[in-house]
């Protein structure tokens, strides 16, 4: 699992086994930003929104068959 554990500042983020593609890793990371960081600073809520918007754009430009 290439993206199962990554450094986040001085913390580690453990992604679920279900996040087995880059898209799913990024989606889960957006959720974690919203869940754990949005309460610290409103910037992180906007960051999570932007991450999710990017995923929507990615899906629109790269439809699956």
């Amino acid at each position: 699992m290439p993206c199962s554990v990554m450094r986040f500042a001085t913390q580690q983020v453990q992604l679920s086994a279900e996040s087995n593609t880059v898209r799913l890793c990024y989606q889960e990371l957006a959720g974690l930003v919203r869940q754990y960081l949005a309460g610290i600073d409103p910037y992180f809520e906007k960051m999570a929104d932007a991450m999710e918007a990017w995923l929507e754009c990615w899906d629109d430009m790269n439809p699956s068959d």
Side-chain angles (χ1 to χ4, degrees), residues 1-17 19 24-37 47 51:
M1 276 181 244
C3 68
S4 62
V5 177
M6 63 183 103
R7 291 302 238 175
F8 189 82
T10 60
Q11 302 292 319
Q12 285 191 3
V13 175
Q14 180 76 37
L15 300 177
S16 65
S19 292
L24 290 174
C25 287
Y26 197 73
Q27 181 177 358
E28 186 173 352
L29 189 57
L32 293 172
V33 167
R34 185 178 310 284
Q35 182 179 357
Y36 292 106
L37 300 177
M47 181 178 170
M51 293 171 76

Side-chain angles (χ1 to χ4, degrees), residues 45-62:
E45 183 75 30
K46 292 178 182 179
M47 181 178 170
D49 289 342
M51 293 171 76
E52 291 168 352
W54 186 90
L55 286 168
E56 289 177 23
C57 292
W58 177 262
D59 290 342
D60 288 345
M61 299 302 293
N62 299 282

